[in-house]
Amino acid sequence: MDWASIIVAVVSALSTGSAVSALLYLRENKRAKQLENEKSAIEEWQGIAEERKQRCDELKASLDAKDQKIDSLYRENAELRKRNDRLSSANTALSIFKCRIIGCDRRHPPFGKVDCNEQVNTENSK
């Protein structure tokens, strides 16, 4: 064997080994890149899902606050209706018992057809 064939044999052995290792490395590298792409896609979807969840929680909190406000307004409205009923009942009662005699010094409400002076006399005799 001469030097040229030895060099060719060494170079071919080195290149064959590197070719095989390059093919194995390319296959592993391709799979690693696919896994990395899938991981980044999953992280992106998880980020989108997290944003949606936060938005949903914000909307639920807003809706709960509005429900509480509506409930408080209904309670306030009920109290105002009760107050209005009491006042209108009192107003009706006062209009019924209103003394229509201007010159009456005692200003008692009239009952029936009794004269204001007769009411004063009966009250003074008691």
Side-chain angles (χ1 to χ4, degrees):
M1 286 184 117
D2 63 345
W3 289 101
S5 63
I6 293 174
I7 293 175
V8 169
V10 171
V11 170
S12 65
L14 290 175
S15 65
T16 306
S18 65
V20 171
S21 66
L23 288 176
L24 291 175
Y25 178 73
L26 286 176
R27 186 178 287 173
E28 288 179 22
N29 191 20
K30 183 178 179 183
R31 182 67 183 147
K33 287 184 179 182
Q34 286 176 344
L35 289 175
E36 187 178 324
N37 286 339
E38 289 176 7
K39 183 179 176 183
S40 65
I42 289 171
E43 288 175 356
E44 184 178 341
W45 281 108
Q46 286 176 343
I48 292 171
E50 185 65 29
E51 288 174 10
R52 292 292 180 187
K53 183 180 177 189
Q54 288 176 353
R55 180 68 177 146
C56 183
D57 291 342
E58 290 172 2
L59 290 174
K60 285 180 183 177
S62 173
L63 186 60
D64 290 341
K66 288 178 183 177
D67 285 344
Q68 290 176 354
K69 179 68 174 176
I70 289 171
D71 290 342
S72 69
L73 290 174
Y74 273 121
R75 282 192 294 275
E76 183 181 350
N77 192 10
E79 291 298 319
L80 291 174
R81 285 178 193 248
K82 288 177 187 177
R83 181 177 176 222
N84 189 23
D85 289 342
R86 285 193 304 268
L87 290 174
S88 59
S89 297
N91 188 24
T92 303
L94 290 174
S95 68
I96 291 172
F97 296 124
K98 180 180 177 182
C99 184
R100 290 176 175 74
I101 300 172
I102 295 174
C104 182
D105 58 347
R106 300 289 292 226
R107 303 288 293 171
H108 288 288
F111 290 98
K113 295 186 178 187
V114 179
D115 188 22
C116 184
N117 292 331
E118 291 176 14
Q119 283 182 350
V120 172
N121 291 335
T122 56
E123 287 179 5
N124 287 338
S125 63
K126 289 182 183 179

